Structures are given as C-alpha cells and as structure tokens.
C-alpha cells in the first residue's frame, strides 16, 4: 500500500536551531536566554549552531539526494528586522532569497514558518508576547515577507507551537525568555499570539500575488485507546481535548479551538475576558491546512484515565515515550474536531547518535521509530484522514533548545567542531520509503 500520489515528503528545520551567524542579525530572546547561567545544558548557545547560513547549499544537496520534495524552515525575524520592525536588513533577505532560489531550482517546495520562537530581543524589551503590539509587529513582518516572496513561496505557517513558546517561554520559564507568569497574565500572552496568528494570515493573503496555502503548526496532548472498542476510542478522543488545569497551554484545544472554531474550550471560559470580543473575527481566519507536530501520546482506558506506562517502556534519549499509535488515533481525533487537511509538520526522535568505527552513523533506533510511526500514519491516511504530507524533524542535528546539542534529531549527523555532515542510516532508509511512496514500509 502506498500513500496518495501527491503526498509530500519533506524534512524540517528552524532558524535559531541551525543558522548560526549571530553577527548577521539582531539578537533574539534566545541569545539572551542562552547567556543565563544554568538555562541551557552545558551552557551551549545557538551562536554558531550548524552554520546553516553558510552551508545551506550542502543541506539542500542532501535534501535533493534523499529525494525529498519539500523543505520546512523558518525565517529569523531578527535577521530581517534586527529591532523587530523598521528597516529590513538586506543581507538577511538575500540569504533567504538564495536559499529559496536554490530549493526551487532543485524542485523542492519551500514551506516557510514565520515564527519559530526567535523573537527579536528588542520586542521582548517592550514586553514580548505580553504586549499586544508584538502581534501587530508580527503581522507587519509576515506581510513584508509574503510580499517579498510572493512569486516564490506558496506555503506558510504563521506560528510554530504556541503551546511551547507561551507555555515553556512565559509559564514554566524553561525556554526563552524564561518568564514565569501565571493565570490571566500568562493567558494574555496566549491571546496576543492568537491575534498575531490571525493578523498574519490576513497580511499574508493580502500581500501574496499568487494563491497561497496558509496554516499554523500546533502541538499538544493527544491520547489513544488501550482497547480498540468504541467506548475506549470515545474516551481517548475526549481525553485528547480535555484541558489539564495546570497545563492548559499544552493542549491543541486552546489554540485550535480559537483559530478554527472561534471560541475557547469550555474549561477555559474564565479566561475569555483576556480576549477583546472584537478580536475574535481576526483570530478565526479561514485556513488552508493544519500543521501538526507529533511526537508521542498518552494511552487511556475506557474511563478516560491515563494508563500507567509499563516498567522500562520504550523511550527516546529525551525520555519521550515511543507511542506510534498516536499517529493513527490522534490525527483522527484532530480531523473529527476540526475537519482540516493536515501536514505532519514535525515528527522524529532524539538519540545520542555517534560516528561508528566505520565512519558511519548507525541509528537503528530512529529507523525503528520512523518505521512504526509511518506505518500508523499510512493506516490513518487509508482510513480517510486527509494528511497531505510528512516532514521529518529534523533535516540535520541542531540546537535542541534548553537541551543544547546533546540530543540529536537529524537525518544528517553534524560533527559540530568541523561542521561536517554525515548522512545517518535513517536518512538512507527514509529515502527508500520516500522513493516507494511508503510501499516499502
Ligand atoms: C518542536 C519544535 O518545533 C522544534 O523546534 C524542536 O526541536 C522539536 N519539537 C523537538 O523538541
């Protein structure tokens, strides 16, 4: 069995995690956060990362060699507007022009994400996501980029995982800018992100001359059933969208209900006052697709209770559980709730990969992970859920935020001291799956 003929196979990355070249741009909140003692494992930073800005040709070459037809990457806002707004940095623009032209020349479709967490530091000084003006500045940036790329880019994600940049960035403080807000203060940041999304969708559509596909990349809790009964499935579906009080931010629902259904989930009604009523129309814009970043899920029983994981359950080096069933069930629940075509904008696993004596990187655990997840994805598609494509996270190893460089998630190994790239075994395996459009799974 194969995926649909027009199924898109790609890989993904983001600006701060890969580009390096700090001098060529304004500072972002991550530059400052990385200087905070103890914030990042081993005190590492994204200052040089994978030197992607200079080595993008090599990376595109790998994409091509692997037979991938789409590349998801993000634009560094402070590389274009070092102060968040104002005069654009021509060198920054020229970099993305070069990258996009090369991709198009190689027949690889650019999928551009406009916000993958590197907020210009200058805007954080004005309150960052606490400040409504950040939403307005983001819309200006989005419109500017869409106009600039209008003849070349047709796929945009506005925000990447607001669950994380709000929840971890302004709630738990594990991510930049490291704030620990609570209650309505935290939700106001979320409300500003919702507004930013809606305004950006409008700005992108207005600025584009060709037809564009606009969406956003969401993540959050998803559940799958212990038993395959109707009752247990219903319980897993309900549990997926239930808000956990102290972790409301790690739900798909606050974000997707708002932008697609135009309301907040019932459990969050108390926070409705944080969103001015006149904003709702802007927040809830028609979208073309939903991006879903999916890594793992939670098993629940017929009562909707979480099932305890077995002793020694399979997990990745980040200790995230390996739960391929989330692909089949979680995506089905999302489709039943939102009725949107979806891209898997991220999926993959972290390992402590290394170069073996033979000079190769044998990452069997990643192959096993992908095999299991893609089988479930294929089943999900065959059940009629409209999945348009799959982007492996990530193309190359990169800066895994507060976990630094220890955790490797790429198809391509990066030897950081030399920046040498080595295609892992999983890359070759993935290329075979892509070439057969999933038949070889
Ligand atoms: C989600 C984020 O979008 C990405 O930046 C991160 O590296 C991966 N998940 C893995 O944690």
């Amino acid at each position: 069995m194969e995926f649909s003929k027009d199924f898109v196979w790609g890989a993904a990355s983001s600006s701060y995690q890969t580009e390096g070249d700090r001098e060529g741009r304004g500072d972002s909140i991550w530059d400052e956060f990385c200087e905070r003692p103890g914030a990042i494992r081993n005190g590492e930073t994204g200052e040089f990362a994978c030197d992607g800005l200079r080595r993008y040709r090599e990376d595109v070459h790998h994409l091509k060699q692997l037979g991938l037809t789409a590349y998801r990457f993000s634009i560094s806002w402070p590389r274009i507007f070092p102060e968040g707004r104002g005069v654009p940095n021509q060198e920054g623009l020229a970099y993305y022009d070069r990258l996009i032209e090369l991709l198009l020349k190689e027949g690889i479709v650019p999928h551009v994400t406009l916000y993958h967490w590197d907020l210009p530091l200058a805007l954080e000084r004005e309150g960052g996501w606490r400040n409504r003006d950040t939403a307005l500045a983001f819309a200006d940036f989005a419109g500017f980029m869409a106009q600039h790329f209008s003849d070349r880019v047709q796929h945009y994600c506005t925000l990447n995982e607001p669950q994380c940049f709000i929840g971890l960035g302004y709630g738990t403080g594990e991510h930049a800018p490291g704030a620990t807000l609570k209650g309505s203060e935290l939700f106001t940041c979320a409300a500003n992100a919702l507004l930013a999304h809606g305004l950006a969708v409008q700005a992108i559509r207005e600025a584009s001359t060709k037809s564009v596909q606009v969406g956003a990349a969401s993540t959050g809790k998803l559940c799958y059933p212990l038993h395959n009964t109707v009752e247990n499935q219903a319980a897993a579906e309900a549990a997926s969208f239930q808000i956990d009080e102290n972790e409301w931010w790690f739900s798909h629902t606050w974000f997707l209900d708002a932008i697609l259904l135009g309301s907040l989930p019932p459990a969050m009604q108390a926070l409705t006052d944080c969103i001015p009523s006149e904003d709702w129309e802007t927040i809830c814009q028609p979208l073309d697709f939903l991006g879903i970043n999916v890594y793992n899920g939670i098993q629940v029983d017929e009562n909707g209770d979480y099932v305890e994981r077995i002793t020694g359950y399979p997990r990745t080096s980040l200790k995230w559980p390996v739960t391929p069933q989330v692909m089949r069930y979680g995506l089905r629940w999302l489709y039943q709730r939102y009725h949107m075509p979806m891209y898997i904008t991220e999926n993959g696993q972290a390992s402590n990969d290394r170069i073996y004596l033979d000079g190769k990187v044998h990452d069997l655990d990643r192959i096993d992970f992908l095999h299991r997840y893609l089988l479930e994805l294929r089943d999900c598609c065959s059940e009629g859920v409209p999945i348009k494509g799959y982007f492996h996270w990530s193309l190359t190893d990169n800066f895994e935020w507060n976990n630094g460089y220890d955790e490797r998630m790429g198809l391509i190994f990066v030897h950081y001291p030399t920046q040498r790239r080595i295609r892992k075994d999983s890359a070759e395996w993935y290329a075979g799956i892509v070439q057969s459009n999933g038949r070889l799974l």
Side-chain angles (χ1 to χ4, degrees):
M1 213 174 41
E2 293 186 17
F3 283 79
S4 64
K5 287 276 164 285
D6 53 357
F7 193 82
V8 173
W9 293 99
S13 72
S14 89
S15 46
Y16 188 78
Q17 294 178 274
T18 57
E19 285 178 359
D21 185 50
R22 183 173 175 181
E23 307 81 65
R25 57 168 173 75
D27 276 349
S28 81
I29 51 174
W30 276 92
D31 294 300
E32 188 182 63
F33 188 64
C34 289
E35 282 163 14
R36 201 188 267 197
I40 314 289
R41 207 193 284 176
N42 310 324
E44 288 161 345
T45 79
E47 186 165 354
F48 303 106
C50 313
D51 197 23
L53 200 103
R54 269 175 283 274
R55 289 168 199 264
Y56 70 94
R57 284 186 204 81
E58 207 180 322
D59 294 337
V60 174
H61 174 75
H62 285 297
L63 281 166
K64 178 78 181 167
Q65 294 268 305
L66 296 176
L68 304 183
T69 55
Y71 183 38
R72 174 178 182 240
F73 60 94
S74 76
I75 309 286
S76 158
W77 183 355
R79 191 176 294 289
I80 304 299
F81 293 110
E83 299 295 314
R85 48 171 91 83
V87 184
N89 165 21
Q90 294 303 328
E91 281 176 30
L93 275 176
Y95 162 66
Y96 294 110
D97 286 339
R98 286 194 296 276
L99 170 62
I100 287 172
E101 266 143 37
L102 181 59
L103 289 169
L104 294 175
K105 181 166 153 265
E106 299 292 5
I108 300 167
V109 179
H111 285 238
V112 168
T113 297
L114 289 162
Y115 188 74
H116 203 126
W117 308 355
D118 40 2
L119 183 74
L121 186 59
L123 295 185
E124 179 59 25
R125 299 266 189 262
E126 298 173 15
W129 287 107
R130 302 169 195 81
N131 185 346
R132 187 178 171 87
D133 287 349
T134 295
L136 310 186
F138 178 65
D140 288 346
F141 163 60
F144 176 82
M145 294 316 309
Q147 187 169 37
H148 184 78
F149 294 146
S150 72
D151 52 339
R152 292 164 290 169
V153 175
Q154 284 171 288
H155 297 82
Y156 288 99
C157 266
T158 54
L159 306 178
N160 178 67
E161 296 191 355
Q163 288 85 356
C164 292
F165 75 77
I166 297 297
L168 303 176
Y170 289 83
T172 67
E174 288 159 270
H175 278 191
T180 49
L181 307 179
K182 291 198 172 36
S184 60
E185 278 188 345
L186 179 59
F187 191 72
T188 298
C189 298
N192 290 330
L194 292 173
L195 181 65
H197 161 82
L199 288 170
V201 176
Q202 291 177 332
I204 294 165
R205 295 208 196 281
E206 272 161 30
S208 308
T209 49
K210 286 193 183 165
S211 78
V212 280
Q213 301 273 301
V214 189
S218 181
T219 195
K221 180 180 69 164
L222 286 173
C223 301
Y224 57 91
L226 173 64
H227 302 297
N228 210 0
T229 60
V230 175
E231 295 74 26
N232 206 156
Q233 290 190 26
E237 180 170 9
S240 296
F241 300 121
Q242 204 174 345
I243 303 282
D244 295 334
E245 209 186 309
N246 296 325
E247 263 202 7
W248 60 263
W249 48 267
F250 195 66
S251 67
H252 282 285
T253 16
W254 73 263
F255 182 52
L256 297 182
D257 277 18
I259 66 171
L260 294 167
L261 309 180
S263 59
L264 286 179
M268 293 180 68
Q269 288 304 319
L271 292 163
T272 310
D273 287 350
C274 299
I275 302 182
S277 54
E278 63 275 17
D279 283 358
W280 276 108
E281 203 181 318
T282 310
I283 289 171
C284 184
Q285 292 292 309
L287 292 183
D288 303 292
F289 68 88
L290 205 55
I292 301 296
N293 294 355
V294 53
Y295 290 93
N296 54 69
I298 303 172
Q299 194 170 44
V300 301
D301 64 18
E302 286 87 348
N303 302 319
D305 293 330
Y306 295 166
V307 177
E308 208 180 311
R309 299 191 199 275
I310 57 165
T311 305
Y313 64 88
R315 63 197 107 172
T316 72
S317 64
L318 270 172
K319 307 297 175 208
W320 295 359
V322 178
T323 60
Q325 306 93 314
V326 71
M327 283 302 226
R328 176 200 299 245
Y329 293 103
L331 298 171
R332 197 203 289 173
W333 313 146
L334 286 165
Y335 182 57
Q336 287 176 184
R337 189 173 180 94
Y338 301 114
H339 310 287
M340 289 291 291
M342 292 176 274
Y343 285 97
I344 306 306
T345 31
E346 289 183 24
N347 172 243
Q349 79 145 64
S351 317
N352 301 134
D353 302 314
R354 62 181 190 276
I355 305 173
Y356 279 53
L357 277 173
D358 63 2
K360 297 184 176 165
V361 179
H362 302 295
D363 56 338
L364 201 55
D365 50 350
R366 181 168 293 100
I367 294 175
D368 180 68
F369 178 100
L370 293 178
H371 198 163
R372 290 171 187 273
Y373 276 64
L374 288 174
L375 276 173
E376 296 281 345
L377 179 65
R378 194 175 68 180
D379 285 350
C380 178
C381 294
S382 70
E383 285 164 10
V385 178
I387 309 285
K388 292 162 74 80
Y390 174 91
F391 291 84
H392 182 268
W393 182 271
S394 59
L395 177 63
T396 62
D397 292 337
N398 59 46
F399 178 70
E400 180 50 27
W401 306 115
N402 52 327
N403 289 301
Y405 293 97
D406 285 5
E407 307 297 343
R408 295 175 175 273
M409 300 191 77
L411 293 167
I412 296 165
F413 182 92
V414 177
H415 179 253
Y416 292 107
T418 60
Q419 292 292 353
R420 189 157 70 94
R421 271 71 166 147
I422 302 172
R423 280 217 291 270
K424 301 180 190 175
D425 287 358
S426 60
E428 309 298 347
W429 179 87
Y430 184 51
I433 300 303
V434 171
Q435 201 187 14
S436 73
N437 198 24
R439 197 170 27 82
L440 289 184
L441 282 169

